[in-house]
Amino acid sequence: MSRLAAFFGRSTPTAPLPWPPHSPEGLVARWVRWVAAHDDRQNPVSDPTGANAGHHQPADVWFLAGSYGETVRRRCVVPAGRPLFFPAFNMWQWPARPGELPVVSRASGYALVDGVPVPVATIGTATPFEVRGVAGNGVTDTSRPEQVSCWGLWATVAPLAPGPHTVAFGGTDGHGFRVDAHYEVQVG
């Protein structure tokens, strides 16, 4: 490892997750790490068009991002055969301690694919997980490792057929904060 990499907090790999990677908690943690892999200029949560949707995507699932409280309309291309995973509404906190979750009791959310409702599941990571993002990331804002916990309403969508699709999702904290994301997705 170079001195420069060590200086920026990359001298050790990120700790393994405390759950299997395809479990609900594992997907949530992987989604949070995906957001943290982006600096402020490429943050998929603040992306107004979808231009950053493909950055740092894993090979086995395709993550979609909501917003920090705005309505967004995005376009992206999704490789065929990938399930989608995204939050209708979520919160994260750091530093996190075991058993602490940023639960929002009045939160609600929805997800639609091609106008058809998709179930959203409440998923929380009561065991904190390590996030080691890039400096200026949208989760912890630092490249130092941080213990994070996350809670939210999440949707998983089986791989879509090749061609165009619409994916819409969003939610509210029940106190006026609202997220709405609309994607035009081309699967192929």
Side-chain angles (χ1 to χ4, degrees):
M1 182 70 51
S2 73
R3 284 185 189 184
L4 187 58
F7 177 76
F8 285 106
R10 298 291 188 193
S11 59
T12 57
T14 301
L17 293 174
W19 316 278
H22 291 96
S23 68
E25 295 84 359
L27 287 167
V28 166
R30 291 173 63 201
W31 184 91
V32 172
R33 286 180 172 179
W34 171 67
V35 173
H38 298 84
D39 64 22
D40 188 46
R41 296 169 313 198
Q42 294 182 328
N43 183 341
V45 180
S46 59
D47 176 11
T49 67
N52 300 324
H55 294 171
H56 304 297
Q57 287 283 357
D60 59 338
V61 64
W62 191 268
F63 295 131
L64 296 176
S67 73
Y68 292 117
E70 305 83 22
T71 296
V72 294
R73 298 195 180 282
R74 300 177 178 138
R75 293 180 177 183
C76 68
V77 176
V78 176
R82 298 250 193 113
L84 306 177
F85 185 76
F86 52 88
F89 178 87
N90 71 320
M91 298 290 290
W92 55 76
Q93 74 179 30
W94 80 100
R97 290 186 285 273
E100 291 183 355
L101 281 172
V103 175
V104 180
S105 61
R106 293 180 58 191
S108 62
Y110 73 94
L112 303 167
V113 174
D114 297 329
V116 178
V118 173
V120 294
T122 302
I123 306 170
T125 60
T127 301
F129 56 95
E130 182 179 281
V131 172
R132 183 185 294 266
V134 298
N137 73 73
V139 178
T140 65
D141 197 41
T142 180
S143 62
R144 290 186 312 275
E146 295 283 352
Q147 292 296 310
V148 175
S149 63
C150 188
W151 177 90
L153 307 171
W154 299 82
T156 303
V157 176
L160 298 172
H165 297 276
T166 59
V167 179
F169 56 92
T172 178
D173 67 356
H175 299 282
F177 178 83
R178 179 163 211 83
V179 173
D180 283 297
H182 304 268
Y183 280 83
E184 293 178 26
V185 172
Q186 180 67 38
V187 176

